[in-house]
Amino acid sequence: MAMRHVIVGAGPAGVIAAETLRAVQPESEVVLLGDEPEPPYSRMALPYYLSGKIDESGTYLRSRANPAEHYRALGIDLRQDRAASLDTERRSLRLESGEKLGYDRLLMATGAVPLSPPIPGIDLPGVLNCWTMEDARGIATRAAKGAEVVLMGAGFIGCIILESLVRRGVRLSVIEMGDRMVPRMMDQVAGGLLKRWCGEKGLQVHTSTRVTAIRKGGKNGRLEAVLEDGSVLPADLIISATGVKPAIDLLKDSRVETDFGVLVDQRLQSNIEGIYAAGDVCQGKDFSTGQYSVQAIQPTAAEHGRIAAMNMAGKSVLHQGSVNMNVLDTLGLISSSFGLWDGAEDGEEVKTLNEGGYRYLNLQFSGDHLVGAQALGLTNHVGVLRGLIQTRVRLGPWKQRLLEDPTAIMEAYLGCVQPIGYNASVLA
């Protein structure tokens, strides 16, 4: 008898899982549930839509011309419906349409939802997230050239949105509660340099402060964002990018164990046999720490989707852990962080800085291994940094060389992999 796999969530994790299941278990039935009216798309592509680099079809995960046909051709039953409740005893979902949908294996790939800060006025018209295609359309309508826009949040998502808003020609003010930009990805040096870079590009970036209220102000009814010090920023549009949380509401009354996200084992299976999780909702293994945490980044979602699907099909594939990595382009300045970028307990570190040239490199070691790194203004060494961390290669004498001269990172990589040298200064 053919097995029915039901995937709740049609983002990257869900789509890759569906395609993997179809490839490794072609006789099975695969149902992919998406709760938005658009074909499955990438949220990370929305800023490119806002900047005008792509149209809506450019955000689609598969086939710009005819995405529905792509899934039909693969035998994936793509449905636009929302799962309202889960009965783990009967292995059944109740959908908002009223249908009851049974399953043999279930994948939770519901992603994340935006956090709504407890600010008076956060629900006023003209205050938007940038999380759905509908949000992006609303932003595109209001963010005309010359419009005054307040962006709450200068984390990873906020900085991606920032780039697209600048391209639209708005007058932008950025508000960040942390003492630097992208505080969960950069240390004080890198985050401070990024703030200075944005300031030189004409942006107003306010750190170590927050919006305490949003109100309608003046005769024309424009929005006003009130800051902690009482200053007021007029706005035609306010965008909230203050973080996200795993979308686990469907599991509220189920027996599936959750913490911040869905708790899983090394096969990405929950405590309930036959129920798996992948992507932003999954509290999976971190490669660097061995602990289980949520990594809300698309590479991890893709990896989770493939591994969960293999196990749903009975292939027994272990998840070795995802490397925490972020690469960000902010108005032409590339920043990246990998693994334990803020350091390992009892580890060693080395940093080098070319402040005027916006070049910064921070290497973190534990024993004989590179375990974390940050880079700013470096575009040719992303793969090298990730590779040294993810392969856990023993550095041998190259560790001391890097402690003396971290700019020899490419030379160290080649020296550890093959007996040739490479002489280059990454901060030149």
Side-chain angles (χ1 to χ4, degrees), residues 168-376:
R168 295 183 69 87
V170 306
R171 289 180 288 171
L172 183 62
S173 297
V174 182
I175 314 300
E176 168 56 46
M177 289 179 61
D179 61 359
R180 60 193 186 274
M181 295 184 73
V182 205
R184 295 185 180 181
M185 172 183 163
M186 296 185 190
D187 63 15
Q188 188 66 52
V189 174
L193 281 174
L194 185 60
K195 177 181 176 179
R196 196 182 83 190
W197 173 269
C198 290
E200 290 182 357
K201 301 294 183 181
L203 275 65
Q204 298 294 320
V205 181
H206 307 263
T207 54
S208 299
T209 189
R210 62 189 182 93
V211 175
T212 58
I214 299 171
R215 67 195 184 198
K216 290 280 189 179
K219 294 181 180 180
N220 59 5
R222 294 176 74 202
L223 292 168
E224 292 181 338
V226 183
L227 304 187
E228 279 183 316
D229 63 2
S231 59
V232 177
L233 299 176
D236 300 295
L237 168 68
I238 296 177
I239 300 174
S240 177
T242 55
V244 297
K245 63 179 180 179
I248 57 175
D249 285 354
L250 177 62
L251 305 177
K252 185 177 180 181
D253 297 318
S254 75
R255 296 181 296 122
V256 178
E257 291 182 357
T258 62
D259 179 28
F260 186 61
V262 180
L263 295 171
V264 296
D265 61 18
Q266 209 168 347
R267 291 177 173 81
L268 301 184
Q269 185 171 225
S270 73
N271 64 302
I272 303 297
E273 184 180 356
I275 298 181
Y276 296 76
D280 295 3
V281 76
C282 177
Q283 196 161 325
K285 188 176 182 181
D286 185 297
F287 174 86
S288 298
T289 66
Q291 303 300 311
Y292 283 73
S293 60
V294 173
Q295 287 186 7
I297 56 176
Q298 190 158 312
T300 294
E303 183 180 30
H304 280 180
R306 181 186 62 82
I307 292 174
M310 296 292 286
N311 286 298
M312 291 166 73
K315 301 299 181 182
S316 189
V317 177
L318 297 182
H319 179 229
Q320 302 301 324
S322 300
V323 174
N324 189 17
M325 59 172 287
N326 290 286
V327 180
L328 185 64
D329 181 349
T330 308
L331 306 179
L333 183 60
I334 307 297
S335 55
S336 57
S337 66
F338 306 90
L340 300 177
W341 61 266
D342 53 351
E345 187 175 353
D346 299 324
E348 296 174 85
E349 68 177 17
V350 61
K351 302 177 182 179
T352 186
L353 172 66
N354 176 345
E355 190 169 354
Y358 288 99
R359 299 289 188 271
Y360 176 62
L361 184 62
N362 175 347
L363 304 181
Q364 299 288 336
F365 303 90
S366 179
D368 198 27
H369 304 279
L370 182 70
V371 295
Q374 286 181 85
L376 189 75

